[in-house]
């Protein structure tokens, strides 16, 4: 989709965000001016942009990437690197966790830490997710499945998405969905041991979920642990993990499916 046809449908804040990313954003005879990241409404505009990026994920993942890059660039301009350790959080409770961690074990490279509720970390999640969506859209889904039913990704693309997630997790260590996406990518590349460690960290970050979305993030992390354990041929541990999932959500069909798979493997082996 050409940039001009896209931006003709965007509101001024979104056009400004794209301009901030260094894109040519033509609207009639003139280009939209860049948005000042130091403006008082920056967090609001960034949040709106991230919502828009998610809305474009399936049909135009390249647009989601552009918008995410614009948001990341804006926050980097607003909060430049220096002696302050910046944290991004999705809630005040999460921000408080980061402040507590810093109070106990501050990185000596920093003089102080600031934890803020904003979408800076989420922008990295959007970008990584869109990179994968873009790659999958360029392949026939029927030809990119492995024996473990995970898509085969170009290693360079996977590395770019994983680096994006790693950068985001520096900002937002307890972003469970980012950790789950990272584990998914590692597993798709056959890195089962690393995926196991990543999903376990996601599970730890997702403890004590307060709502349905949080529980879904937790059970996804737990299923990731179970899947990695199966790939590592640690079936007893995998079975125990999937049964934990079912104690949280008795209707989790994916966990039930994996338990049946474990039974089939044992039957084939005569265990």
């Amino acid at each position: 989709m050409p940039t001009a046809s896209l931006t003709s449908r965007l509101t001024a804040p979104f056009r400004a965000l794209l301009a901030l990313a260094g894109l040519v954003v033509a609207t009639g005879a003139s280009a939209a001016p860049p948005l000042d990241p130091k403006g008082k409404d920056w967090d609001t505009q960034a949040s709106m942009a991230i919502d828009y990026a998610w809305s474009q994920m399936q049909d135009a993942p390249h647009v989601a990437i552009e918008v995410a890059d614009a948001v990341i660039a804006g926050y980097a301009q607003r909060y430049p690197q220096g002696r302050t350790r910046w944290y991004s959080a999705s809630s005040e409770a999460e921000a408080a966790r980061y402040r507590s961690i810093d109070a106990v074990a501050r990185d000596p490279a920093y003089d102080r830490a600031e934890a803020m509720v904003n979408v800076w970390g989420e922008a990295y999640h959007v970008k990584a997710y869109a990179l994968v969506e873009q790659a999958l859209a360029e392949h026939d889904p029927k030809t990119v499945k492995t024996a473990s039913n995970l898509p085969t990704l170009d290693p360079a693309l996977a590395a770019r998405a994983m680096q994006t997630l790693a950068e985001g997790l520096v900002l937002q260590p307890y972003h469970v969905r980012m950790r789950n996406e990272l584990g998914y990518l590692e597993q798709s590349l056959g890195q089962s041991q690393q995926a196991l460690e990543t999903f376990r960290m996601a599970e730890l970050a997702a403890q004590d979920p307060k709502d349905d979305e949080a529980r879904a993030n937790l059970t996804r992390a737990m299923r990731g642990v179970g899947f990695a354990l199966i790939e590592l041929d640690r079936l007893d541990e995998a079975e125990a993990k999937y049964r934990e999932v079912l104690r949280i959500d008795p209707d989790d069909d994916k966990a039930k499916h994996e338990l049946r798979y474990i039974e089939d493997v044992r039957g084939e082996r005569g265990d």
Side-chain angles (χ1 to χ4, degrees), residues 204-261:
L204 180 63
Q207 289 302 312
D208 193 24
K210 302 298 185 182
D211 54 40
D212 290 343
E213 181 181 357
R215 279 190 290 274
N217 289 332
L218 172 59
T219 54
R220 184 186 178 194
M222 295 171 71
R223 290 196 309 270
V225 170
F227 191 94
L229 288 168
I230 288 176
E231 294 297 294
L232 293 168
D233 200 27
R234 294 160 60 176
L235 299 185
D236 289 348
E237 293 173 74
E239 178 184 4
K241 182 57 64 177
Y242 285 121
R243 296 201 182 282
E244 283 185 49
V245 172
L246 292 176
R247 283 196 287 272
I248 296 172
D249 180 6
D251 297 322
D252 193 308
D253 290 334
K254 292 180 180 178
K256 293 176 183 179
H257 173 80
E258 293 301 326
L259 285 170
R260 289 193 296 270
Y261 174 78

Side-chain angles (χ1 to χ4, degrees), residues 17 20 35 37 39-46 70-71 74-75 78:
L17 281 167
L20 180 63
L35 180 67
K40 293 181 179 180
D41 64 344
W42 170 252
D43 284 335
T44 299
Q45 299 299 337
V71 172
Y75 275 109
R78 189 178 180 94

Side-chain angles (χ1 to χ4, degrees), residues 50-62:
I50 290 302
D51 287 344
Y52 179 80
W54 278 116
S55 76
Q56 296 297 305
M57 192 63 69
Q58 288 199 333
D59 293 335
H62 65 287

Side-chain angles (χ1 to χ4, degrees), residues 9-10 17 47-49 146 156 168-169 180 261:
R9 301 198 305 274
L10 298 182
L17 281 167
S47 181
M48 291 170 59
T146 64
L169 286 167
N180 280 334
Y261 174 78

